[in-house]
Structure formats: structure tokens, C-alpha cells
Amino acid sequence: MLRGFFEPESVAVIGASRTPGKVGHAVLKSLKSGFKGRIYPVNPNAAEILGLRCYPSVLDVEDRVELAVICVPAASVPDVLDECEKKGVRFSVIISSGFSEVGRRDLEERLKGRKLRIIGPNCVGVFDPYTGVDTLFMPEERMKRPGKGHISFVTQSGAVGTAVLDVLSDIGVGISKFASIGNRVDVTEVELLRFLESDPNTRCIAMYLESVSDGKKFVREVRRCKKPVVCLKAGKSESGTRAAASHTGSLAGSYRLYSSVFRQFGVLEAKTLEELVDFSKVLASQPPMKGRRLAIVTDGGGFGILAADTAENLGFELPDFGSETGKKLREVLPDYASVSNPLDLTGDSDSERYRSVLSLVFSDPNVDGVVVIALLQIATLDEAIVDVLAECKVYGKPFVVCASGGEYTRRQVRRLERLGIPVFPSPERAVAAINALRLFSEARK
Amino acid sequence: MLRGFFEPESVAVIGASRTPGKVGHAVLKSLKSGFKGRIYPVNPNAAEILGLRCYPSVLDVEDRVELAVICVPAASVPDVLDECEKKGVRFSVIISSGFSEVGRRDLEERLKGRKLRIIGPNCVGVFDPYTGVDTLFMPEERMKRPGKGHISFVTQSGAVGTAVLDVLSDIGVGISKFASIGNRVDVTEVELLRFLESDPNTRCIAMYLESVSDGKKFVREVRRCKKPVVCLKAGKSESGTRAAASHTGSLAGSYRLYSSVFRQFGVLEAKTLEELVDFSKVLASQPPMKGRRLAIVTDGGGFGILAADTAENLGFELPDFGSETGKKLREVLPDYASVSNPLDLTGDSDSERYRSVLSLVFSDPNVDGVVVIALLQIATLDEAIVDVLAECKVYGKPFVVCASGGEYTRRQVRRLERLGIPVFPSPERAVAAINALRLFSEARK
């Protein structure tokens, strides 16, 4: 079990440093800022760091140490692991780099075959907002941490991981568990997949992979997994494959093979980093989509057209509204708005118009899911639109919101995302995201 | 000539209103906040609005009126135009809707065949940060205005236009001229194209079109145009085409035809709203790309791989660095970094490492353009990276930056964009944007 990585009672930071800017300092600071358990800095040359008593070796800690976070130079890591094993530490995260990715396979071999479990090396480690475990060496002022949520993210690239966390936090999306696995000498994406499958807070598993550690096991695990899995495969091209080898020592393998395995076994493939985030947001928050009939509601005609273009291109149907719905829509809409799908509420909409229209559209039996475009720049639309959109959750149908703009829009988007409503900055991305949900729902039928 | 729309000496707002939230109030407020010329509100029921003396009719204004912005109900617009002509007004923007887009072709006919020029109806009008002309009825607190820059934007959708302006302002990108043309009873995208071609501040022309007003003239004009033109064509699908008809009364026509005309005559097609913005940013700021040899420099391995995958897929070459460059790179890079393309400076890079590496990479004769990935979350990279990137302009080679993250990153991105350096939130978008530049450069050869 991998629980000890995310819910340890005590953590030692081996290679903790007094010097701001150093990894061993940043990791300790990150942990200290949120983790509720006991923290033990280890550094033979310091008595105290960040107000915590410091130990010369992990063996000197009087308490039980459940998780060791290791930031010492690569050459010292094997010895540190020996000490950890002696101490009875069961879980370790090795942040240090300088192993197979720089040709030091010999050094990497010496990490293997141990009793304690290892995440890494050459990674940024783990983050869990529920427990406050945070081994990321990116300072808070550079990179905000997301709050509690339902996406879990496994990544072979620390930079991809931290950039995504920073973006998620910025837009107000929470996560469940984050693991950067680096060269994965021990814990692999396959084992994490199984672990996250049984994690009650995880509703969607996002992965950035340069390769899989074991093809057969990967296939077996994704077939078993009932939760949606979204994968971004890097190293599709010749130069990308070459780069992957020197990045995490990965043999990237044929992209075509990956892509067809993904398709065959119900893994959603994200073609870009933005899709990885977009798809995960919808899959972690929305109920299944029971068919392919999509309604589009908008206050900007052009956005409605762009959404319709994308929707048809991706295989959605844009049905006419039922005659009953149509009649009622006619009553609540102004004369100059026409009842059709996409439904253009026009640029003088207020929250009340959205409310009455959305209740009719969501209740229409012809509609399986909804894209709501709400351009918030118009003067008639006040912040009450957030409540109106939140109310739409009661219909039990999946929906996504598109809102495109600057500061004011971003504030409202954060409020929406915190309420579990996925929002996208362009009509094309909104439709592509709900399409991922449809594909997942179809595959699971 | 259309200059009077963007540089009028005096503007009348006909249908100016005292009531906040009303279009005629918002337009007057927008104008007043930046326009340096003389402003005349026209409303028979008010003596003064927003501190400006109000006139019962445009005919009562003692001064010459160069531009009239019209916000009265559709039915009154023809009479207002009669008065404007009598007054000798030469330019008018009709914000009012309720014409062909709602089936009132009869009313729209009555706008035509006049001496004064018309932008609209059913539009949000014009914006020019150089002169302060601003007829947008979106309040400042909802939608910030971009500063002075070099992109001009012509749009058939007011909502698309205002959302894009809001986004541009948020990321720190300026514009030259903005025109929302709505039902375009008079001034068309073709005429604007010609006008913008001779506008010294315009370096790139972006267009959102549901249809072109006259295919032959459009082709003639884009062939003549030496500046890059980027087009997003909406109404590609059946339902999108239907929606376009009720939006701006457009006959959207065959998308395939548009797409092939674009390709044949050197118009860059943006497939999504984000591409429209992304491509325009690069085309308005970067010198031509003389070949297809791209260098990728990164501080995050995964981002480099994703960029390389996209680059190869789009037809770039990722050359090895010249032997001279390679030798020098080896000297400035730490041992654990390997000299290859993509070039991974690794996650402990500082600005100095970027500086020395970039000067070598940009000077390498094997390199035609550069994608610089700078993930700013790492503690070693401080704000000096902005200056380092700005210095790269001296090499005269095109480059784009990728920076992905939240608040801190956004602050630095704004600084970069204000310096004319285009920044993108994902590796795929960064590479696609510089590819647009390459395609334009190739087409112009």
C-alpha cells in the first residue's frame, strides 16, 4: 500500500538546509506550511532549521519516521537509504537527480531491491492537500498550491506537474493526490493507478507519461479501473523520444502503439497539456453523459457558432428543443431572440433570463448535456450568474461553462470552479472537454 | 477613407442615456474615459449627462460632428441617419440591433445608399487606444481595454471581439484598431483590410468572419495585402451555418471553399479562437522566420519533449547545434545537462544560465527560430529572466516564450508581452504560434 506517502504520521527531510533557495530548505518549508504531523529535519551541520530541531542522521530521531524525503546529492543517496532501512522507515521520496537520466545507471541500481518503498529519484515528489504533505521545492510565492478536490495527477515530469498544479490552483480547481514519479525505480504509475482507484477523494486520474513501466501491467490496471483515466503521452516524435531518454531514462516506444492501447482499453488520450487539465476537470466533476445530444446556450452569437462548429465536428448532435420546451422558451425570451440550438440569449441577458432558459433546457428530454456560454463583460449580467449556474447541478445532467476574459471574468470563474463547475476560456475547449466525458460515458456502457 | 471612424475630432452619441446599465450610457462613459476630442450627447429628454451638455438632436450641435455613435431603437435609426446627413456627419457607428438578423431586412434596406459611412448595425463599434475612441458598451470594471499595440482586429461578432480585447488586455498585449462590423450594411471587412494595410501601427490583421461580403473583392484585397492576415471562419458546420444566419444575417457558405481560398492566397487560418489570438501575437511582434530549423530551450524536460513532439508534427526541423555552439554550450552548462535539441537547462537554472545559453543558441547559424520555455516556479529563476529574454530581440531571429502557471507567472508574462515578446501557456500553443509565423514567411517568399 502507498498510503504512507500521502498520510504519514511523521516525515524526515534528509538533506534539510538552512540556506533559502536550496532544495532541502524549500522542501522543509513546504512541508512545514501545511503538514499536521511531526517533521524531522536531518542535517549533520545544523542544530535547528526553520525553528525545528535538526538531527545529524535519521537514526538519531527518537520517534518513528514513516516517510523520508531525500534531497542529498545523488552519490550519497544509497547510504541514506541504508540508514532509513535500519531506522525502519517504510516510505521514501528521492528528490535528488543524477541517476539514469545522466547515464548513472550504476548508481540507480543501488537504489533497488529494498524493503522501503521509493518514489523517484529525479522528481518533485508528492502533494496531498487533505493531509498537507508537500515535498515540492517550488516556493509558495512562485507556485500556489491547489485546495482539496477530486483530480489525482501522476507525472513523469516534475515541471509538468508543478506547472499544472499552479494552473489548477489559479483557476480554483482542487486536487486529491499528486505524485511526480521521475525515474520510478520502485513505485510506478501502475501501482499508483491501483492505489488511486481505491482513494475515495479521487474521481479522475490524470497522467503525464513518457513511457509505461510495464505494458502488460498497465493494460491490466486500466482495464480494471472504474474511474476515468486521462493520459498525455510525451515522446511521440523522434526528437521527443530522444529527449525523453535523457529526461527520465524512458524508452518512449511507438506512439501509435500507445494511442491504440489507450483507445482500446478506455484510457482517454489528451493530445495537449491543456487537454489533460480540461478533460480531467470535467471527468472529476460531472455525471455521465447518457447520449450525444448537446444543447448550447450563449449570450454571444459568435461564441455559439464556434461551439456548434466544434460540437458537430466531434460527433455531437445539436437537437431541436422539444415542442413543449420550445413554446416555453418563446415565452421567456425577448422577441428578437430566436429559439434554436445554439440558443442565443443575446447580449442584453441578465441572470434571470439565464435561470429561466436553463431550467427549460436542462429539463428537456431531448438534451443529454449542456454547454453554457456566459460572457461576463456585458453590463446586464451580474455576479448572480454564478448562483444560477450552480443551481443547474440539480438536473443531474453534465454541463460545462465557457467564459472568456480578463480579471473580472477570472474572479467569477474561480467561484464557479470552487463550486465544482468546470469553466473553459474558449468555446472549442469547452466542447472538447464535454466530449471527453461523452467518450468516457460511451466506453463504460 | 475610414480614418474618421478612428480619429474623429468630434463625436455625437445619439441615444445617450442618463441610466447606468443602458447602452447609451455605457457608450458615452467609455468614450469620455479616453477620447481627447469633443463629445456631444444627444437625447431630447436630458440637459446634461455625465457632466456633458446634452442636445435634443444632432442638428442642434453648434460644432461640426465628424462621427455619430447611434444607440437608439432600430425603428428610429433611419430618421437619425437622415438628421446626421443633414448635419453633414460623415461617419456613423450603429450599435442598435433589430435589423436583418431578426428578419427586418426592410428596415436594414433603409440604412443603405447614404452619403455618410456606416459601421454596423448590430455591433459594438470601434476602439482605438491611440486616439481613445471607444464605443464599447462593456463597462471598464467588467472588461479592461488593451493598450497601444500592433494587432488590428475586425470582427463580425461583438462578443468575440470584446472577449478577445479583454483577454489581450489581461495578458498585456496592445492593439492598434478594433472594429466590430455586425451586419455591415456599408463598411465591410474588405474595406477595413485595405485601410489597415496602410495604417502604420498595424502589423497584423486578425479577423473573425462568419462570411465575406464579396468573395472576389476579398481575394483581391488579401492578395494585395503585404501584412499578415489571420482569419477565424465561423459557421463551418450545419448548425453553425444556421446560427450565423440568425446572428449577423450571414450566408456562411462552404467552409471548404473558404479554407482553400485562405490557403491559396496566403491568409493564415486560425482553427480556434485561441489560435486567432496566438497567431496574431507572433505575427505582430516577430521578424520573419527564414527557414524551418527550430531550437527549443527549456528548464523543464517534459515541456521540452512536448514542444519537440508538436514541432516535428508541424514540419519543423530540430537541428543539432553547430559544433562550435555545442562546444561552448558544454562549457556553460552543468555536467548533468546534455547538449541536445531540445536543450534542457534543468530545474535549477538561473537567469545567467539562460543568458549564456540563449546567446549561443540564437547566434548559431543552424537555428532559424527559438522556442524558449521558462517555467518560473523554480526558486533559482528570478525576475531578471524578463530582461534576459528581452535581450534576445537583438539577434533578429523570431522567438516565442512558453510560461505556464498562476499569479506569479502571469505577472512576469505581462511584463514580457509589454516588451513585445509573445508568451504562451502551453508548449503546444507556443510551437503552433511560431509555426504560423513560419507559414507566413514561406508564403511571402
Side-chain angles (χ1 to χ4, degrees), chain A residues 123-391:
Chain A
C123 72
V124 299
V126 294
F127 171 65
D128 182 332
Y130 291 88
T131 63
V133 167
D134 181 345
T135 73
L136 309 175
F137 55 82
M138 288 73 188
E140 271 272 345
E141 61 274 19
R142 295 286 172 91
M143 179 212 146
K144 297 263 185 301
R145 270 60 167 176
K148 296 172 188 174
H150 305 291
I151 299 171
S152 282
F153 187 20
V154 176
T155 176
Q156 262 187 288
S157 159
V160 167
T162 47
V164 165
L165 289 181
D166 198 10
V167 166
L168 289 176
S169 130
D170 192 53
I171 57 180
V173 176
I175 72 149
S176 176
K177 289 175 168 53
F178 169 87
S180 154
I181 55 180
N183 300 6
R184 55 178 180 200
V185 292
D186 176 24
V187 173
T188 64
E189 73 287 356
V190 174
E191 204 177 344
L192 280 159
L193 202 55
R194 181 180 308 184
F195 173 68
L196 294 168
E197 153 95 74
S198 67
D199 170 39
N201 291 324
T202 299
R203 293 191 197 148
C204 171
I205 302 159
M207 293 193 159
Y208 165 90
L209 293 178
E210 291 166 11
S211 64
V212 294
S213 50
D214 181 318
K216 274 189 193 153
K217 285 189 188 160
F218 181 79
V219 166
R220 195 170 62 212
E221 211 51 51
V222 292
R223 289 182 75 167
R224 268 177 38 120
C225 186
K226 291 196 178 52
K227 295 179 180 174
V229 178
V230 189
C231 261
L232 173 60
K233 168 70 176 78
K236 300 172 186 174
S237 61
E238 251 181 69
S239 40
T241 304
R242 231 178 15 245
S246 68
H247 181 225
T248 51
S250 284
L251 292 168
S254 148
Y255 167 56
R256 279 209 193 143
L257 180 64
Y258 275 95
S259 200
S260 79
V261 165
F262 288 167
R263 218 175 15 253
Q264 195 178 343
F265 300 108
V267 173
L268 280 161
E269 189 186 346
K271 302 269 184 188
T272 64
L273 189 53
E274 288 184 328
E275 281 194 353
L276 185 67
V277 172
D278 289 357
F279 293 1
S280 300
K281 275 164 54 175
V282 177
L283 288 159
S285 67
Q286 297 301 300
M289 184 153 179
K290 292 192 175 134
R292 58 198 195 88
R293 297 169 308 170
L294 187 70
I296 298 168
V297 176
T298 183
D299 59 346
F303 271 75
I305 301 170
L306 294 171
D309 285 345
T310 309
E312 265 196 40
N313 190 36
L314 291 174
F316 281 107
E317 261 176 52
L318 270 73
D320 291 330
F321 295 112
S323 61
E324 194 60 25
T325 311
K327 220 160 49 185
K328 288 185 193 156
L329 280 172
R330 191 61 281 158
E331 281 165 28
V332 300
L333 281 171
D335 294 344
Y336 46 83
S338 48
V339 174
S340 55
N341 184 13
L343 186 61
D344 185 358
L345 311 187
T346 79
D348 62 352
S349 302
D350 56 17
S351 302
E352 273 315 308
R353 193 183 295 168
Y354 267 97
R355 177 176 274 128
S356 28
V357 164
L358 289 176
S359 83
L360 293 169
V361 168
F362 272 92
S363 309
D364 189 318
N366 284 358
V367 170
D368 299 314
V370 185
V371 173
V372 186
I373 297 162
L375 299 161
L376 307 176
Q377 286 88 0
I378 56 177
T380 42
L381 207 54
D382 60 16
E383 302 192 7
I385 186 68
V386 171
D387 306 314
V388 169
L389 292 168
E391 287 164 19

Side-chain angles (χ1 to χ4, degrees), chain B residues 42 49 52 82 108 128 138 163 181 237 245 296 321 408 438:
Chain B
V42 174
I49 306 178
L52 294 167
D82 290 346
E108 195 156 299
D128 183 332
M138 287 70 187
I181 54 180
S237 61
I296 298 169
F321 296 111
Y408 174 80
R438 175 175 72 97

Side-chain angles (χ1 to χ4, degrees), chain B residues 245-321:
Chain B
S246 68
H247 181 224
T248 50
S250 285
L251 293 169
S254 148
Y255 166 57
R256 279 208 196 144
L257 180 62
Y258 274 94
S259 198
S260 80
V261 166
F262 288 167
R263 217 174 15 251
Q264 196 177 341
F265 299 109
V267 174
L268 278 162
E269 188 185 347
K271 302 270 186 189
T272 64
L273 188 52
E274 288 183 328
E275 282 193 352
L276 184 67
V277 173
D278 289 356
F279 293 1
S280 302
K281 275 165 51 176
V282 178
L283 289 159
S285 67
Q286 297 302 301
M289 184 153 178
K290 292 192 175 136
R292 56 197 195 89
R293 297 168 306 169
L294 187 70
I296 298 169
V297 176
T298 183
D299 59 346
F303 272 75
I305 301 170
L306 293 172
D309 286 344
T310 309
E312 263 197 43
N313 190 36
L314 291 174
F316 282 107
E317 258 176 54
L318 270 73
D320 290 330
F321 296 111

